[in-house]
Structure formats: structure tokens, C-alpha cells
């Protein structure tokens, strides 16, 4: 069943090691009928190429706040009105800090500030970074502002640590998006 048919979802990708899982998130949401547009932070392109995400999503990947090819030059606001849900996965500690402060120094941050829909973040980072007072305080503030925080999970981490900070697996994120929209109707 296409439970996400007609839904517009922006997947925000930031510069965490879990960015390699982003194509799977795109594919899983599309399999349920969602129209998925990807917005990347410039640094996330160190981890996964825009070409990969563009090929998988079959939509232009946006990563440039100053993209002059957009005729109305309002690309930094456009997707915020188009989206029914913004899912930032993975969400780095740095992105979370910028979002908490209300910064708009990259396209994804701007979009999150201007979005008219709910915003989900899926934190993904080293367990020490996650447990830090700064990250915990940032998440607490964002939660108070009704940002939905999904995860993180516990387990083995890319750096060799074991602890809480892993991004939720794509299949869990897929289920949570489906659940989110089923509760909205
Ligand atoms: C190999 C490597 C892996 C990294 N993995 C993570 C990560 O999983 N989570 C995180 O919060 N930061 C991670 N970082 C640090 C971020 O890439 C860095 O803070 C970056 O500025 C975040 O950019 P962005 O939030 O604009 O995408 C990693 C850095 C390196 C070099």
C-alpha cells in the first residue's frame, strides 16, 4: 500500500558518517509513494555525493543557498513551503547547534527556519558528542520548540565506541514517517 502517496518530504542530509544510509531512506520513502527532495549541507558532500542522491531521488539535489539558477532566487524558502515534513537524517551535533541558535548560514538551516511543516531530526554522532551538555541542552530546547527528535539508537559506532548516538536505521525511520502521517489524518 502506498501510505505516503502525495506526501512531499524533504530529506536533509548533514555531514555525519551515517550519511551513507541516506539513499536507503530516500528509496524507502519513495517505495511508499512519497515525493522526496534532498537538501544537503555543503560538508555532507564529503560523505555522500549529490549525484548519488539525485539519481536515487530522481529530483535535483539542493545544496547552495546562493543558487542563481533559480529564477526567483528564493530557493532558500521554496522547499520550506513545498514540504509536508522535513526529516534531517543524519543530523550532526553541529547542525543541531545551528538549528537551536536559529542560524541560517546554509540552505538546510534556512529551510528549517522557514518551514511551515513539522521538522524531524535524527541525531547521529559519537556517544561522547551526544552525551555532552551542549548537545543535550540543544536537543532539549529544540524539543520544547516542537521539533520531533527521533533516536538516537545505542550500539557499535563507526569510531569504535559503544553507546548512544547511532542514527536510527532507515527501516525504523521509514516506519516512523508512516506513523507520523497516519496520525495526522
Ligand atoms: C570522518 C568524520 C566523521 C564524522 N562523523 C560525524 C557524525 O557522525 N556526527 C557528527 O555530529 N559529526 C560528525 N563529524 C563532524 C562533522 O562532519 C562536522 O561537525 C561538520 O562541520 C558538520 O557539518 P554540517 O552539520 O554542516 O553538515 C565527522 C567528521 C569526520 C571527519
Amino acid at each position: 500500500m502506498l501510505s505516503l502517496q502525495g506526501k512531499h518530504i524533504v530529506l536533509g542530509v548533514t555531514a555525519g558518517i551515517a550519511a551513507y544510509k541516506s539513499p536507503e531512506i530516500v528509496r524507502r520513502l519513495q517505495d511508499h509513494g512519497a515525493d522526496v527532495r534532498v537538501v544537503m549541507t555543503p560538508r555532507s558532500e564529503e560523505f555522500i555525493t549529490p549525484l548519488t542522491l539525485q539519481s536515487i531521488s530522481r529530483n535535483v539535489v539542493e545544496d547552495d543557498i546562493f543558487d542563481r539558477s533559480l529564477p526567483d532566487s528564493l530557493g532558500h524558502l521554496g522547499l520550506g513551503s513545498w514540504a509536508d515534513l522535513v526529516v534531517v537524517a543524519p543530523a550532526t551535533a553541529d547542525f543541531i547547534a545551528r538549528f537551536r541558535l536559529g542560524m541560517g548560514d546554509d540552505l538546510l538551516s534556512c529551510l528549517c527556519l522557514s518551514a511551515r511543516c513539522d521538522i524531524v531530526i535524527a541525531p547521529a554522532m559519537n556517544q561522547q558528542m551526544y552525551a555532552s551538555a551542549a548537545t543535550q541542552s540543544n536537543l532539549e530546547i529544540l524539543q520544547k520548540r516542537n521539533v520531533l527528535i527521533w533516536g538516537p539508537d545505542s550500539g557499535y559506532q563507526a569510531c569504535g565506541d559503544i553507546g548512544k548516538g547511532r542514527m536510527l536505521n532507515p527501516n525504523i525511520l521509514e516506519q516512523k514517517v508512516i506513523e507520523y502521517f497516519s496520525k495526522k489524518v
Side-chain angles (χ1 to χ4, degrees):
M1 194 184 81
L2 296 180
S3 43
L4 299 177
Q5 187 73 49
K7 300 298 180 206
H8 292 174
I9 299 175
V10 169
L11 178 69
V13 179
T14 69
I17 198 78
Y20 79 90
K21 297 178 182 171
S22 302
E24 189 183 343
I25 301 173
V26 173
R27 181 54 61 80
R28 284 176 175 274
L29 297 176
Q30 283 178 332
D31 284 350
H32 290 280
D35 188 357
V36 182
R37 302 280 297 264
V38 176
V39 176
M40 303 179 73
T41 62
R43 287 177 177 167
S44 71
E45 294 172 15
E46 296 285 337
F47 295 84
I48 179 108
T49 71
L51 186 61
T52 300
L53 285 161
Q54 189 152 300
S55 307
I56 301 281
S57 68
R58 299 188 298 275
N59 273 318
V60 170
V61 167
E62 296 194 34
D63 56 2
D64 183 4
I65 196 169
F66 300 116
D67 185 353
R68 282 181 289 118
S69 68
L70 296 168
D72 60 3
S73 301
L74 289 175
H76 66 298
L77 303 176
L79 283 177
S81 335
W82 175 85
D84 297 311
L85 186 67
V86 175
V87 180
V88 183
T92 59
D94 197 72
F95 169 80
I96 290 168
R98 299 201 301 279
F99 189 23
R100 178 253 167 100
L101 287 174
M103 291 176 72
D105 59 348
D106 66 282
L107 184 61
L108 183 60
S109 300
C110 258
L111 189 149
C112 287
L113 283 178
S114 65
R116 297 180 188 184
C117 60
D118 284 332
I119 298 174
V120 172
I121 59 174
M125 67 199 70
N126 163 270
Q127 48 100 17
Q128 287 284 126
M129 290 172 79
Y130 177 70
S132 72
T135 299
Q136 288 303 310
S137 150
N138 291 338
L139 288 169
E140 202 178 303
I141 300 274
L142 288 173
Q143 198 157 28
K144 283 190 185 140
R145 292 182 196 151
N146 299 319
V147 172
L148 303 167
I149 299 163
W150 292 353
D153 215 343
S154 293
Y156 283 97
Q157 302 203 292
C159 56
D161 283 5
I162 301 173
K164 195 167 178 184
R166 284 169 58 98
M167 186 177 78
L168 290 183
N169 280 331
N171 64 317
I172 306 289
L173 290 171
E174 165 198 352
Q175 286 313 313
K176 288 180 88 64
V177 171
I178 292 169
E179 220 172 276
Y180 168 85
F181 282 111
S182 71
K183 283 183 186 154
K184 287 268 287 186
V185 284

